[in-house]
Amino acid sequence: MPFSSQHLKAQAQAMGFNLVGITQAVSSPTLDAYYRWIDAGMHGKMGYLAREDRRIRRDDLNNIVDGAQSIVMVGLDYRSRIVPLSLLHDPTRGRIASYAWQLDYHDVIEPRLEDLASWMQAQIGEATSHKVYVDTGAVLERSHAQQAGMGFIGKNTMLIHPRRGSYFFLGEIISTIEFDSYDTPHRETMCGTCTRCLQACPTDAFPEPYVLDARRCISYHTIENKAWIDRELRAGFGNWVYGCDVCQEVCPFQRFSQATDDMSFYPPDDDAVAPHLTTLLTLTNDSFKARYANSPIYRIKRKRLVRNACIAVGNSGDRQFIPYLIQLLYDDEAIVRGHAAWALWQLMGRDALKQLQALYDREDDAEVRAEIEALVP
Ligand code: SF4
Ligand code: SF4
């Protein structure tokens, strides 16, 4: 017998989820657009997105859960406190995207979704199968959420709820359970003639509305890109060191975003929002682990965070950082040495020649040498 969708939604809300929608477990209507995006290479170095095994699962959800009938989509608000712009735009601090100010959301949402799935199973009292994902599965989450009536996909490619904005996490249960009713898909878009997000993007990452070229996106580069950051993009990063909120924060629908009740996402202090760049430049592997072990930032490891901090320092125009950068020219990680060299050049120009020449002479990493060659004409 089909399960009551109202019963499920009441339980999900009782468990703290702010949005719930249910849609049938059929493939996403935006698959073709997604594959055009992949074929154009806009996924950058996220090669896993193009993998055949993921394609097979994405195209047919039965390859994730055999006999899948339904997708229960949930949303959990993460907007916490309003932070003064003076803190966010302080060039001596590195800015962190607001979803990462506290606990890793996977650790909050996944167990809660498993509890919800177990609850359904217990209610039904017969064997069912399910799979829980929180942005890790081979599924087009935002599209399925739109199909589940939870909002529209904006020109910034985010899922936007017209009365809640887009500061919420998504998660889903793909299940063999059939429901007595399914939600009506949301209108495809409500952006109208607005183009705020497209214009505000600091690195011009939208080649057209609804299409984000990850290869130009600060969020992609600071989090996903393990390699060197394109030199021509670095100035646009400003003081972002982990993610970027710009195309969400300028969206007019964001005025409806709700502060979360979940203290898991409230930053304990200003340093969780925008740590001092000196703190980031002087991180060791141990201090990085101590500071970020429970944060989503942990997955990028110390090397990438310090690389990102070097870019923010290079953009700061603040010469107080020069001694820290000179120290990083001796870092064990080539990518850190190279980005520190770039930042030093931004702050000192030709006055950095002596340090850069010394680094060049002792350097055996080809990419660091190439970085210096590109900097010094
Ligand atoms: Fe542009 Fe930032 Fe949005 Fe990326 S996250 S598309 S860099 S505004
Ligand atoms: Fe749509 Fe405007 Fe929001 Fe961009 S800023 S997603 S165009 S409403």
Side-chain angles (χ1 to χ4, degrees):
M1 199 170 99
F3 195 74
S4 160
S5 59
Q6 288 311 315
H7 198 189
L8 178 275
K9 288 182 177 181
Q11 178 65 16
Q13 276 157 2
M15 293 172 78
F17 291 115
N18 304 106
L19 291 168
V20 195
I22 309 173
T23 183
Q24 279 156 333
V26 294
S27 58
S28 152
T30 60
L31 272 180
D32 287 349
Y34 182 75
Y35 290 125
R36 282 197 297 277
W37 181 78
I38 294 277
D39 290 345
M42 291 193 212
H43 59 304
K45 295 190 177 81
M46 295 183 283
Y48 64 95
L49 293 179
R51 268 191 353 232
E52 188 58 21
D53 60 319
R54 289 179 70 98
R55 185 177 190 130
I56 288 167
R57 280 178 271 156
R58 195 184 290 118
D59 289 0
D60 183 351
L61 302 180
N62 282 295
N63 293 321
I64 299 174
V65 175
D66 191 25
Q69 295 281 338
S70 311
I71 311 176
V72 175
M73 295 294 316
V74 296
L76 186 66
D77 294 333
Y78 64 81
R79 206 207 84 202
S80 53
R81 66 183 171 88
I82 303 293
V83 177
L85 290 178
S86 57
L87 173 69
L88 298 178
H89 295 157
D90 180 345
T92 68
R93 289 174 177 266
R95 194 170 169 191
I96 289 170
S98 53
Y99 81 82
W101 288 351
Q102 245 277 36
L103 291 186
D104 188 332
Y105 58 99
H106 300 95
D107 297 342
V108 175
I109 302 174
E110 276 173 17
R112 211 180 284 184
L113 277 175
E114 286 291 358
D115 286 349
L116 184 59
S118 300
W119 174 86
M120 280 197 289
Q121 170 86 53
Q123 296 291 310
I124 287 178
E126 60 188 59
T128 63
S129 303
H130 74 273
K131 182 77 186 164
V132 159
Y133 285 131
V134 180
D135 82 12
T136 49
V139 287
L140 300 185
E141 247 175 4
R142 295 172 194 173
S143 172
H144 291 299
Q146 183 266 340
Q147 290 292 297
M150 288 166 61
F152 64 95
I153 296 177
K155 290 178 186 173
N156 63 3
T157 74
M158 302 301 294
L159 184 83
I160 301 171
H161 187 286
R163 292 185 306 283
R164 214 169 190 104
S166 61
Y167 287 138
F168 53 86
F169 299 114
L170 288 175
E172 62 270 3
I173 306 170
I174 302 170
S175 170
T176 53
I177 295 173
E178 187 185 359
F179 286 87
D180 61 359
S181 66
Y182 290 89
D183 287 287
T184 305
H186 197 280
R187 282 167 63 183
E188 277 185 22
T189 183
M190 291 176 69
C191 287
T193 56
C194 176
T195 55
R196 277 195 210 182
C197 54
L198 311 182
Q199 288 163 355
C201 175
T203 46
D204 210 8
F206 296 104
E208 57 185 285
Y210 308 102
V211 178
L212 193 165
D213 187 345
R215 296 167 300 183
R216 297 193 63 84
C217 173
I218 297 167
S219 196
Y220 161 76
H221 280 292
T222 54
I223 299 171
E224 304 291 343
N225 182 7
K226 299 180 177 138
W228 293 61
I229 308 284
D230 296 350
R231 265 185 296 281
E232 60 120 352
L233 292 177
R234 293 178 196 167
F237 282 30
N239 69 334
W240 289 105
V241 294
Y242 185 91
C244 167
D245 285 332
V246 171
C247 58
Q248 292 196 83
E249 71 188 2
V250 299
C251 179
F253 288 98
Q254 226 56 267
R255 68 187 186 279
F256 302 122
S257 67
Q258 317 261 330
T260 177
D261 298 329
D262 196 326
M263 296 313 288
S264 310
F265 305 123
Y266 277 76
D269 53 33
D270 287 352
D271 285 345
V273 174
H276 289 284
L277 286 168
T278 47
T279 306
L280 299 182
L281 294 181
T282 54
L283 283 172
T284 62
N285 286 328
D286 286 344
S287 60
F288 172 82
K289 187 172 181 185
R291 193 179 174 94
Y292 292 115
N294 299 317
S295 155
I297 297 170
Y298 190 64
R299 55 188 280 247
I300 72 167
K301 305 295 181 220
R302 176 244 176 209
K303 154 169 100 167
R304 272 189 267 170
L305 186 57
V306 178
R307 172 201 66 180
N308 299 344
C310 286
I311 294 176
V313 163
N315 291 333
S316 72
D318 192 331
R319 291 172 68 92
Q320 69 161 305
F321 297 116
I322 289 172
Y324 299 92
L325 292 173
I326 291 173
Q327 189 66 35
L328 288 174
L329 299 180
Y330 294 89
D331 197 82
D332 287 344
E333 302 288 353
I335 204 166
V336 171
R337 295 195 298 278
H339 285 77
W342 175 85
L344 205 58
W345 183 259
Q346 306 311 304
L347 297 185
M348 296 178 73
R350 297 192 75 79
D351 291 345
L353 274 177
K354 191 170 145 215
Q355 281 88 1
L356 295 186
Q357 184 66 55
L359 173 61
Y360 191 82
D361 291 343
R362 67 174 180 269
E363 183 61 62
D364 54 14
D365 184 279
E367 286 185 290
V368 178
R369 289 171 72 94
E371 178 76 29
I372 297 170
E373 284 165 9
L375 288 172
V376 182

